[in-house]
Amino acid sequence: MADFVRKITRDVLRSAPDAALSREWLVANGLGGYASSSLSGAVTRRYHGLLVAALPAPLGRVVMLSQLNDVLIQPDGTERRLTGHNPQADQWPDPNYPSDAAPSGLAEFRMESGLPVWRYEFGDVVIEKQVVLPHLQNIVHVTYRVVTAPQPICLRLRPVMAFRKLESAVDEPLARDYRVTARGHEYEIWAGPELPVLRMTIEGAELPLTLDGGARRDIVYPVEAERGYESRGSLWTPGYFSGPLSQGQTLSFVAATEPWQRLWALPPADVLRFEKERRRRIVGAAHPSLRDGPMAELVLSADSFLFVPAGRVADQMRARAEGDEVRTVIAGYHWFTDWGRDTMISLEGLTLTTGRHMEAGWILRTFAHYIRDGLIPNMFPDGKDEGLYHTADATLWFFHALNRYVRATGDRHTLRLLLPRLVDVIDHHRRGTRFGIAVDTGDGLLRQGREGYQLTWMDAKVGDWVVTPRRGKAVEINALWYNALCLTAGWLTEEGEAQAARPLAELAEQARASFNARFWCAGAGHLYDVVDGERGDDDACRPNQIFAVSLDNPVLDRARWDPVVETVRQRLLTPVGLRSLAPGHRDYKPKYFGDLRARDAAYHQGTVWGWLIGPYVEAWLKLHPEDKAGARDLLRGFLPHLDQAGIGTIAEIFDAEPPFSPRGCISQAWSVAEVLRCWAATAEDETS
């Protein structure tokens, strides 16, 4: 199976002056750590780094190695910069910065099997650079290969670092003291007793480290400035590696927080070969419709979200003692951790569609262990062992994910293991649990809400301001509630517990009847978003209503499917997902930009969410089961996007109006998962 290559050529870079800065690459290591930067190599975000290590709690993810400033020195002494640079703080703002940030010799950037490669051309000198992260290791390899060079050249590599927690502001003071120790070609950087050392070496060539006293350099992070965060900070460098290279020669700069034994265990060529083979196997296991072209790239992107939570050591020990493994899902890069809602929505596309059924089981059993008071965690903060439980829908998505898993695998053992916990979840919801989540005994509908909390997926909050509180009986919460009741009643019946299933089936029927009586907004021709809310019934046209049709057990009467889907098509559908609010509403925001308050004000008030294409396609196919081609066409708007934002992946959100610019996270789990799932579901003739 050949490598999957996506190229950004010199012509593209020249035609779009900001492309080298606005487009980004990312490679994950399966632990929650990663390497990422702008296409130019410049670090434009606080989240960029060549080694963002995933470390045990309370550290979490730490930016260990920010950048490797590399310079090619030609035989005549001319210096050629390979990596784009950030301006120093006293040079900002600099109107020449965008055009000067990309190295002039950058001829091509490409992703080969999801791994970044840069090709630089300076006359008759051609050099290529590649970044690889060995799977499940906090190690990075940056490999240089001299393709052509009539005479020997010199390469100078300056490692630049901060040892800063991922979410810390860039102006956080650096360590008071950095210490460098050396033993032969093994170098260690120490920045305090609470952090691991950073180990560095060069393999393949003699490039000694020249210490030049340790320098602190002020830089600016432009994206942080645009987002309204502190954007000026300092980095530290101990010195530089420098030495000659000849045509055909290859060297690798290696940095890690792992012990030396692991660094030396495999030579860089083997690391690259094994990682490419691992990626080929991942693509080969996926649904046949996903094994080539852009979908193969997304299968590799899906792999980046599946990880072992390195920080939660006790959970790993517990699971392994039980003969299991801990797996979970990074919701998005760069700043999200694992979120219960995102994990359950993404599970089918990330694992079942890609043939990773065993990991799907691990994820479900992992989250079942975290159930408290009838809830799974909303999210795990970085560097924390305990989750936060402020969510009304994540637990209900758990039922949906389990159903898709059992349907795909036939794993009744896991179903039987989890069924008592699911019954307990329903009991807690019936009696009432945290955050005002409880069944209204009068109509069987599920209400939720507590002052100061945002419990649905529309969860933007700035300070004490909950942007879309939606307290009351939300439409998708009740669609999910009905689905969970039907699924659990069915599973109990299949397991010979018909008596236990009966009250759940009765509650489901009560909820269905009440839903259809209460949620249909006759004057608007669509469903209310919330009923019995703080201000009565909310008739805003939002995408949440699509779940009343798309879920496995649709709560909405069949006669109303068509008008709901048609309303969503006309008012919310875009080439890259669904708007979160229809144009014309007083709160509608066409663009997502500005500081945190401005962005969150638009987050669910019009902004397009890529993942919502999934339930829309599912609803469309329920109405038009013969029209797989038409459903497939709904996904094609994502294909040009793979050259934008995060190369070879799909962003979190998009502006609500053309050109639908990507915003938010450059790579989002449920965006990738739902496109993969629907692409496989709309395959006409392929078989799994």
Side-chain angles (χ1 to χ4, degrees):
M1 187 178 294
D3 292 339
F4 305 100
V5 180
R6 177 168 295 272
K7 294 182 180 180
I8 309 293
T9 65
R10 174 182 286 161
D11 290 342
V12 172
L13 295 173
R14 287 177 175 173
S15 64
D18 67 340
L21 284 178
S22 63
R23 304 181 191 193
E24 301 170 60
W25 61 272
L26 183 140
V27 180
N29 67 4
L31 296 172
Y34 63 86
S36 179
S37 77
S38 67
L39 189 150
S40 76
V43 289
T44 62
R45 301 179 184 267
R46 59 176 152 167
Y47 303 105
H48 281 163
L50 275 178
L51 180 60
V52 179
L55 303 173
L59 289 174
R61 290 179 289 184
V62 177
V63 183
M64 299 294 292
L65 178 67
S66 294
Q67 195 176 34
L68 187 63
N69 289 336
D70 39 16
V71 175
L72 171 69
I73 305 173
Q74 295 181 294
D76 63 359
T78 302
E79 295 191 358
R80 304 289 190 179
R81 197 165 36 84
L82 303 184
T83 296
H85 77 290
N86 299 61
Q88 295 186 14
D90 59 5
Q91 297 173 336
W92 182 261
D94 179 357
N96 296 318
Y97 174 63
S99 61
D100 189 43
S104 59
L106 180 58
E108 177 183 276
F109 173 87
R110 63 185 187 267
M111 296 291 278
E112 291 184 355
S113 297
L115 300 173
V117 180
W118 293 259
R119 182 180 179 89
Y120 304 95
E121 298 177 357
F122 301 100
D124 52 7
V125 175
V126 178
I127 189 169
E128 289 196 342
K129 174 173 70 174
Q130 183 162 41
V131 172
V132 181
L133 274 65
H135 193 53
L136 299 180
Q137 304 293 328
N138 286 308
I139 302 175
V140 63
H141 289 218
V142 185
T143 298
Y144 298 82
R145 181 172 67 92
V146 182
V147 180
T148 62
Q151 302 178 59
I153 59 171
C154 180
L155 189 64
R156 186 172 70 227
L157 307 177
R158 179 179 289 277
V160 183
M161 57 203 68
F163 290 58
R164 171 179 53 80
K165 287 189 177 182
L166 185 65
E167 286 290 353
S168 296
V170 296
D171 63 343
E172 180 181 83
L174 296 179
R176 179 175 299 178
D177 295 307
Y178 288 90
R179 300 177 190 171
V180 182
T181 60
R183 186 181 63 184
H185 296 296
E186 297 178 348
Y187 303 94
E188 295 185 351
I189 311 296
W190 181 92
E194 72 282 0
L195 288 166
V197 297
L198 179 68
R199 297 179 174 88
M200 303 184 301
T201 191
I202 300 287
E203 295 194 50
E206 292 292 327
L207 267 70
L209 176 63
T210 299
L211 299 176
D212 56 6
R216 295 171 188 251
R217 179 171 180 264
D218 292 336
I219 68 168
V220 168
Y221 299 78
V223 176
E224 299 305 314
E226 292 171 5
R227 290 167 56 84
Y229 294 111
E230 178 55 52
S231 59
R232 301 180 180 216
S234 297
L235 298 175
W236 182 85
T237 176
Y240 58 88
F241 298 90
S242 183
L245 291 174
S246 300
Q247 180 169 303
Q249 193 169 357
T250 298
L251 73 82
S252 295
F253 170 87
V254 184
T257 61
E258 306 289 350
W260 283 112
Q261 301 95 304
R262 294 192 179 184
L263 269 74
W264 296 121
L266 290 174
D270 285 350
V271 169
L272 176 60
R273 179 165 56 88
F274 293 149
E275 179 60 17
K276 283 193 171 183
E277 179 56 35
R278 187 186 75 85
R279 289 166 177 258
R280 292 187 189 106
R281 289 198 305 270
I282 287 170
V283 173
H287 186 277
S289 67
L290 308 177
R291 294 177 187 169
D292 56 26
M295 291 304 113
E297 296 176 72
L298 289 182
V299 169
L300 295 176
S301 178
D303 176 63
S304 71
F305 303 111
L306 301 172
F307 80 108
V308 180
R312 302 203 288 273
V313 177
D315 287 345
Q316 293 183 49
M317 297 295 291
R318 172 198 53 77
R320 290 171 182 171
E322 295 175 347
D324 219 335
E325 291 287 342
V326 175
R327 289 292 187 279
T328 185
V329 171
I330 287 276
Y333 290 101
H334 301 87
W335 48 83
F336 282 122
T337 58
D338 46 335
W339 287 60
R341 173 190 304 114
D342 300 58
T343 297
M344 297 308 143
I345 292 171
S346 301
L347 184 131
E348 184 177 8
L350 297 184
T351 61
L352 303 179
T353 303
T354 60
R356 303 176 72 160
H357 302 92
M358 183 177 292
E359 286 164 281
W362 289 342
I363 291 168
L364 290 167
R365 292 188 293 273
T366 293
F367 270 86
H369 173 74
Y370 297 134
I371 292 174
R372 303 286 186 274
D373 297 330
L375 302 173
I376 68 169
N378 186 36
M379 54 89 72
F380 286 88
D382 205 21
K384 302 291 184 181
D385 287 319
E386 294 295 324
L388 303 178
Y389 286 81
H390 52 299
T391 172
D393 60 336
T395 312
L396 303 178
W397 279 111
F398 185 91
F399 290 77
H400 169 83
L402 178 61
N403 184 51
R404 295 296 174 92
Y405 169 75
V406 173
R407 191 168 72 185
T409 66
D411 182 3
R412 305 294 295 189
H413 172 74
T414 292
L415 175 62
R416 295 184 187 109
L417 179 70
L418 301 185
L419 193 50
R421 300 191 183 191
L422 301 182
V423 172
D424 183 65
V425 165
I426 290 175
D427 286 344
H428 272 88
H429 282 65
R430 293 175 71 179
R431 297 194 308 266
T433 185
R434 305 183 192 182
F435 309 110
I437 301 169
V439 170
D440 183 334
T441 56
D443 58 16
L445 296 175
L446 194 63
R447 63 175 182 261
Q448 55 79 32
R450 177 175 293 178
E451 186 73 28
Y453 287 93
Q454 64 286 26
L455 302 179
T456 75
W457 80 273
M458 291 187 162
D459 57 359
K461 182 180 180 182
V462 185
D464 294 331
W465 176 40
V466 177
V467 182
T468 49
R470 304 181 70 229
R471 290 188 282 270
K473 298 167 183 173
V475 62
E476 83 281 8
I477 299 295
N478 280 282
L480 287 162
W481 172 238
Y482 174 77
N483 188 54
L485 289 170
C486 292
L487 291 173
T488 308
W491 289 327
L492 288 170
T493 300
E494 293 166 5
E495 294 300 317
E497 299 183 45
Q499 185 173 352
R502 192 171 299 114
L504 301 189
E506 292 171 353
L507 182 56
E509 180 54 31
Q510 181 190 16
R512 190 200 64 79
S514 298
F515 184 96
N516 284 279
R518 296 297 314 284
F519 276 93
W520 180 247
C521 183
H526 60 74
L527 300 180
Y528 284 109
D529 191 55
V530 177
V531 300
D532 294 345
E534 296 171 302
R535 299 178 181 176
D537 299 342
D538 181 1
D539 64 357
C541 182
R542 293 189 182 272
N544 306 307
Q545 61 189 304
I546 201 69
F547 297 105
V549 179
S550 67
L551 290 169
D552 292 330
N553 295 281
V555 67
L556 185 63
D557 286 347
R558 175 62 181 81
R560 289 173 176 164
W561 291 5
D562 291 85
V564 165
V565 173
E566 180 61 17
T567 295
V568 172
R569 186 189 70 82
Q570 290 185 6
R571 304 188 65 188
L572 302 175
L573 180 64
T574 78
V576 285
L578 302 185
R579 295 184 180 94
S580 48
L581 182 65
H585 192 281
R586 62 184 178 278
D587 295 327
Y588 176 74
K589 303 290 192 300
K591 291 191 67 176
Y592 176 91
F593 71 102
D595 62 16
L596 180 60
R597 187 176 183 88
R599 295 196 313 275
D600 275 357
Y603 205 33
H604 301 106
Q605 306 287 47
T607 296
V608 173
W609 289 76
W611 77 275
L612 291 172
I613 199 63
Y616 181 79
V617 166
E618 199 144 26
W620 178 264
L621 287 174
K622 283 188 175 182
L623 289 171
H624 310 283
E626 75 294 341
D627 187 24
K628 288 189 175 182
R632 171 68 65 86
D633 286 343
L634 296 168
L635 305 171
R636 298 192 187 279
F638 289 96
L639 301 184
H641 169 62
L642 300 188
D643 277 337
Q644 305 170 337
I647 304 299
T649 187
I650 301 177
E652 176 189 13
I653 52 177
F654 303 81
D655 283 343
E657 303 293 343
F660 304 109
S661 299
R663 307 288 186 182
C665 283
I666 65 166
S667 184
Q668 192 77 0
W670 55 13
S671 300
V672 171
E674 287 295 83
V675 170
L676 284 172
R677 180 178 71 83
C678 292
W679 196 273
T682 55
E684 291 283 3
D685 300 316
E686 293 136 320
T687 58
S688 59

